[in-house]
Amino acid sequence: MKGELYGWRRYGVVLLGMLLTGGVCSAAIPFTIDQRGTFGPTAFQAQSQVEALLALAICFAIATGIASVVGRLVNAAVGLFVLGAGLWVIRMRSGTIEDLAFAEGSLGLVALETALWGVLVAGATIVILRIAGPLTDIDAKDDGNSSPPEPSRWGLRGAAAGFLVLPAVWLIARSELQGQTMMAVVLGSMVVGLVGRLLSPHAQPRLLFASPCLFGAIGHVLGLLFVHDPLSVAFVTQSIPAVSLPMPLDYAAGSLMGVAMGLGWAKSFLHDEDEAAEASARGQ
């Protein structure tokens, strides 16, 4: 059935998938209420951390199943985008660095939760690629071999492009507003998807979608090193580094959506390179 949907059917499946993943993920929102009675910025700030983590993990697993079906009908990158859209629903209801600061939260726990989301995103990527099938525009052959060597197969070189999300966040995120931090991660992840695809053109993006989350965790660790005052004081004095403003769900949802768009963006560059190579061959 894969690859049979075109036109309005294709967009209908994507829209339905986004609605379903959003509905499933929204079921985890009540479990994120923090000690102040508001929707907290992280699971570790929730009144019951265990319940919040379990609720998020279960909803994410169900949403991954829905995204796998969408990926099977369209392609894996679209399925991963749909999964990110589901997480975006939770993010837009959760708190910001301001809520974290005045709830006496910890950037160290934020870094840990961001890294945990990176692990979940990597697992979901592998599952969706397995169920939906590999991206058909990526040729596994490398230098004439039937398959690339192991590090190349996992796209480790491309995943290293994940560090680009940090300068993007530093440039774009000027406040703690949800829309701004989310957009900073999405745009940064688009660049990660583009550069990662160009660096590893023959490898399926098994680790690429998770890389912005993992480097985002490093950004929070850097913030932890530079913020010496209590977090509430640092927020008031605006001394929290910009790379620490996005919350874990910013990185989880933003990396899934942004990298998927970046991979689509990369097609035009790779297409131009292929055409140039063919033209050169014909000239010879």
Side-chain angles (χ1 to χ4, degrees):
M1 187 178 294
K2 183 176 181 294
E4 294 181 2
L5 294 181
Y6 299 96
W8 67 268
R9 292 182 178 85
R10 178 188 179 100
Y11 294 110
V13 166
V14 174
L15 178 59
L16 179 60
M18 293 172 65
L19 292 174
L20 290 176
T21 55
V24 167
C25 289
S26 66
I29 294 175
F31 294 91
T32 64
I33 295 177
D34 63 14
Q35 301 296 333
R36 301 185 302 164
T38 60
F39 295 120
T42 70
F44 285 137
Q45 288 297 119
Q47 293 178 1
S48 175
Q49 298 176 0
V50 174
E51 290 184 4
L53 289 170
L54 283 175
L56 287 169
I58 291 171
C59 291
F60 184 73
I62 297 173
T64 298
I66 297 171
S68 298
V69 175
V70 174
R72 185 71 181 175
L73 295 171
V74 186
N75 65 59
V78 172
L80 287 159
F81 178 90
V82 166
L83 180 59
L87 291 180
W88 176 81
V89 173
I90 308 178
R91 175 61 193 118
M92 296 310 292
R93 292 289 303 276
S94 58
T96 66
I97 189 70
E98 179 180 6
D99 300 287
L100 182 79
F102 290 105
E104 300 180 355
S106 166
L107 283 178
L109 289 177
V110 175
L112 175 59
E113 188 168 330
T114 304
L116 289 175
W117 273 115
V119 174
L120 290 175
V121 168
T125 302
I126 294 171
V127 168
I128 292 175
L129 283 170
R130 180 74 174 179
I131 295 175
L135 297 176
T136 57
D137 62 313
I138 296 179
D139 183 5
K141 293 182 179 180
D142 189 13
D143 298 330
N145 297 321
S146 59
S147 62
E150 190 69 15
S152 177
R153 187 173 71 85
W154 282 88
L156 293 178
R157 183 171 59 181
F163 85 93
L164 293 172
V165 75
L166 295 180
V169 169
W170 182 78
L171 286 171
I172 299 172
R174 299 290 91 191
S175 76
E176 78 284 358
L177 296 176
Q178 294 162 323
Q180 191 170 129
T181 55
M182 180 71 176
M183 185 56 63
V185 177
V186 169
L187 293 177
S189 296
M190 283 181 63
V191 177
V192 171
L194 169 65
V195 176
R197 177 75 169 87
L198 296 177
L199 288 176
S200 295
H202 303 291
Q204 293 293 324
R206 293 178 176 87
L207 300 178
L208 188 57
F209 284 87
S211 62
C213 294
L214 299 177
F215 281 96
I218 294 174
H220 289 305
V221 172
L222 292 176
L224 185 65
L225 295 176
F226 283 100
V227 175
H228 303 292
D229 297 321
L231 201 56
S232 57
V233 175
F235 177 80
V236 172
T237 59
Q238 298 183 350
S239 59
I240 300 176
V243 293
S244 296
L245 295 181
M247 292 292 96
L249 280 169
D250 282 315
Y251 280 107
S255 64
L256 285 164
M257 299 173 72
V259 171
M261 290 188 286
L263 290 175
W265 184 16
K267 289 181 181 180
S268 60
F269 291 88
L270 293 170
H271 181 66
D272 291 341
E273 291 178 1
D274 291 341
E275 287 184 342
E278 291 177 2
S280 177
R282 286 194 298 268
Q284 293 176 354

